[in-house]
Amino acid sequence: MEIQIIPCLQDNYAYLIIDKTKNIACVIDPSEAKPIIKYLEDKNIHLKYILNTHHHYDHVGGNIELKEKYGASIIGYKGDKDRIPEIDILVNDQDIWHEENFQAKIFHIPGHTLGHICFYFYNEESVFTGDTLFSLGCGKIFEGTYSQMYNSLMKIKALPEKTKVYCGHEYTKQNSKFCIAHDQDNESLKVKIKLIDEKLKKNLPTIPSTIKEELECNIFLKSGTEENFSKLRDLKDNF
Ligand code: ZN
Ligand code: FE
């Protein structure tokens, strides 16, 4: 499987997971249809599945157009069946979603929204975290509690260290400023910031990160307790 990063809107990423043996793909969080269609048409790939991490417009905005064009099926959390446009297949925490050669384990990770899920493509050693875990940050808590968000991050944190992290937005540089302000002696973080700057200078995504890098550098994963996490989340909101 090949994973392609498709920049959408201002700073969103959609991801195509492509089975080259069959020339089919699924897409994760298509904010808009246009850049997805362009990539698929250029490479002559057929879109079969649309996977949504949560119901926010900048993650589902392309659902209807892509479904119409390709007849693709839409997969999302069962609790969000009334908020995810055109949803077809409902999944639950701990489910294995398996169609064609695509296989992912579903984790319910509430906090940013109550119905947020992530897709862990274990064969690809890749997790798609939407707006819950960002590189060097985490999503704002819009619907859930601090406790829910903390526990959701702990679930992601428990994945194997080599797991690649594909998140919903290019927020890494801004996030790094908050991390270094609160973790000034972190040598791994300093190295990562250099790499981030190099990538951004070349107009490249800073994604994917890895669980290992996030464990070492992401202040929210390093916070240790729910109380510390909550304090950091508040500070970040006003940073
Ligand atoms: Zn969101
Ligand atoms: Fe978002």
Side-chain angles (χ1 to χ4, degrees):
M1 297 280 178
E2 178 186 317
I3 299 175
Q4 271 297 328
I5 304 177
I6 313 286
C8 293
L9 304 177
Q10 283 285 83
D11 51 30
N12 276 85
Y13 289 129
Y15 301 102
L16 280 167
I17 302 168
I18 303 160
D19 182 347
K20 291 199 141 179
T21 64
K22 297 183 170 183
N23 272 331
I24 57 173
C26 50
V27 66
I28 299 185
D29 283 357
S31 330
E32 49 177 343
K34 223 189 194 170
I36 314 290
I37 293 170
K38 182 171 185 329
Y39 187 91
L40 293 170
E41 289 194 336
D42 281 355
K43 309 275 178 182
N44 213 5
I45 296 165
H46 183 73
L47 184 71
K48 292 213 69 171
Y49 303 99
I50 298 167
L51 279 53
N52 296 134
T53 61
H54 65 296
H55 74 287
H56 283 159
Y57 183 76
D58 62 313
H59 298 257
V60 303
N63 274 19
I64 293 171
E65 193 178 339
L66 289 171
K67 182 173 176 172
E68 243 165 49
K69 185 167 173 70
Y70 294 99
S73 305
I74 298 176
I75 292 93
Y77 183 58
K78 67 162 192 178
D80 270 346
K81 65 177 167 38
D82 298 324
R83 318 201 273 186
I84 291 179
E86 297 276 333
I87 192 167
D88 299 294
I89 298 167
L90 310 180
V91 292
N92 206 352
D93 188 37
Q94 304 291 317
D95 280 357
I96 303 285
W97 175 74
H98 182 182
E99 293 285 351
E100 303 277 356
N101 293 325
F102 305 115
Q103 280 181 58
K105 184 165 184 180
I106 312 299
F107 293 96
H108 181 218
I109 46 169
H112 177 69
T113 67
L114 288 176
H116 202 302
I117 55 176
C118 66
F119 297 94
Y120 175 43
F121 278 74
Y122 37 89
N123 292 329
E124 285 69 34
E125 299 179 322
S126 297
V127 65
F128 297 85
T129 57
D131 289 356
T132 299
L133 177 67
F134 292 124
S135 182
L136 302 185
C138 72
K140 286 194 174 150
I141 300 170
F142 285 128
E143 297 181 354
T145 62
Y146 291 98
S147 179
Q148 280 176 321
M149 190 61 160
Y150 180 73
N151 288 318
S152 295
L153 290 171
M154 291 307 106
K155 282 191 203 173
I156 300 171
K157 189 176 156 170
L159 293 173
E161 288 198 347
K162 62 190 166 186
T163 309
K164 294 190 258 317
V165 176
Y166 292 88
C167 57
H169 291 266
E170 181 58 82
Y171 289 161
T172 316
K173 179 64 195 174
Q174 189 56 30
N175 288 341
S176 76
K177 293 178 186 169
F178 182 75
C179 286
I180 197 73
H182 291 274
D183 197 6
Q184 289 162 10
D185 301 323
N186 186 333
E187 294 304 320
S188 309
L189 176 59
K190 288 179 194 167
V191 171
K192 188 161 168 79
I193 290 174
K194 266 192 198 139
L195 291 172
I196 291 164
D197 288 339
E198 280 167 23
K199 282 185 183 158
L200 292 175
K201 215 186 283 167
K202 291 184 213 156
N203 254 321
L204 295 172
T206 63
I207 308 305
S209 181
T210 63
I211 293 292
K212 181 171 192 285
E213 288 171 23
E214 295 307 313
L215 288 173
E216 287 170 354
C217 302
N218 186 325
I219 192 103
F220 294 99
L221 294 192
K222 294 180 75 193
S223 60
T225 64
E226 193 183 310
E227 198 191 343
N228 283 340
F229 166 76
S230 306
K231 276 184 204 152
L232 285 166
R233 191 54 266 177
D234 282 345
L235 286 169
K236 179 76 196 292
D237 283 340
N238 300 304
F239 184 67

